């Protein structure tokens, strides 16, 4: 059993006021099979079959431009930290009856 998919993730860069890629478009394949009585779930880079350029010489050309690219920049880290602050503050406000202990 298996399949092929594509994913990309973008975030909003506040300094430049536009979306930037965190994960550039990546094609992947998923395989699920049994191997030596164990269930194996595989996620790997999708590679197309080589294309034959010339029938006489049977030359093959493989273009492996598909790779997993993560873009971790200072603006991405700032965005993640800001989102974390907002999220944790909302969680604290959602439970006003809960007491937190302060260690001195």
């Amino acid at each position: 059993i298996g399949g092929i998919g594509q994913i990309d993730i973008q975030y909003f860069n506040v300094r430049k006021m536009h979306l930037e890629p965190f994960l550039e478009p990546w094609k992947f394949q998923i395989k699920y099979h049994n191997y030596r009585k164990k269930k194996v779930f595989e996620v790997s880079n999708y590679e197309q079959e080589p294309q034959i350029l010339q029938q006489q010489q049977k030359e093959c050309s493989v273009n492996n431009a598909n790779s997993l690219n993560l873009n971790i920049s200072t603006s991405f880290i700032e965005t993640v930290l800001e989102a974390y602050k907002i999220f944790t503050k909302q969680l604290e406000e959602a439970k006003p009856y809960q007491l937190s202990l302060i260690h001195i």
Side-chain angles (χ1 to χ4, degrees):
I1 301 173
I4 299 169
Q6 181 172 336
I7 186 171
D8 68 305
I9 301 172
Q10 297 183 351
Y11 71 97
F12 186 73
N13 185 339
V14 179
R15 290 183 184 173
K16 296 183 180 180
M17 300 301 288
H18 68 85
L19 292 173
E20 288 190 349
F22 166 66
L23 172 64
E24 293 184 8
W26 177 56
K27 287 185 180 178
F28 60 93
Q29 59 187 3
I30 299 173
K31 293 181 183 176
Y32 178 79
H33 54 88
N34 293 326
Y35 179 72
R36 295 185 182 175
K37 297 183 180 181
K38 293 183 180 180
K39 295 178 180 178
V40 179
F41 182 74
E42 260 181 77
V43 177
S44 61
N45 195 31
Y46 175 70
E47 297 178 9
Q48 294 178 341
E49 295 294 323
Q51 297 175 355
I52 298 176
L53 294 178
Q54 297 176 357
Q55 287 285 0
Q56 299 90 8
Q57 297 177 356
K58 300 203 183 229
E59 292 180 11
C60 295
S61 171
V62 177
N63 182 5
N64 195 6
N66 182 36
S67 59
L68 179 63
N69 295 316
L70 295 176
N71 299 314
I72 300 175
S73 62
T74 54
S75 62
F76 173 74
I77 294 171
E78 289 172 357
T79 303
V80 169
L81 292 175
E82 194 63 33
Y84 177 76
K85 286 179 190 176
I86 292 169
F87 183 70
T88 55
K89 185 175 181 180
Q90 286 177 350
L91 284 179
E92 290 172 3
E93 291 174 358
K95 297 180 181 180
Y97 54 85
Q98 186 177 11
L99 298 175
S100 58
L101 300 174
I102 301 173
H103 299 285
I104 300 175

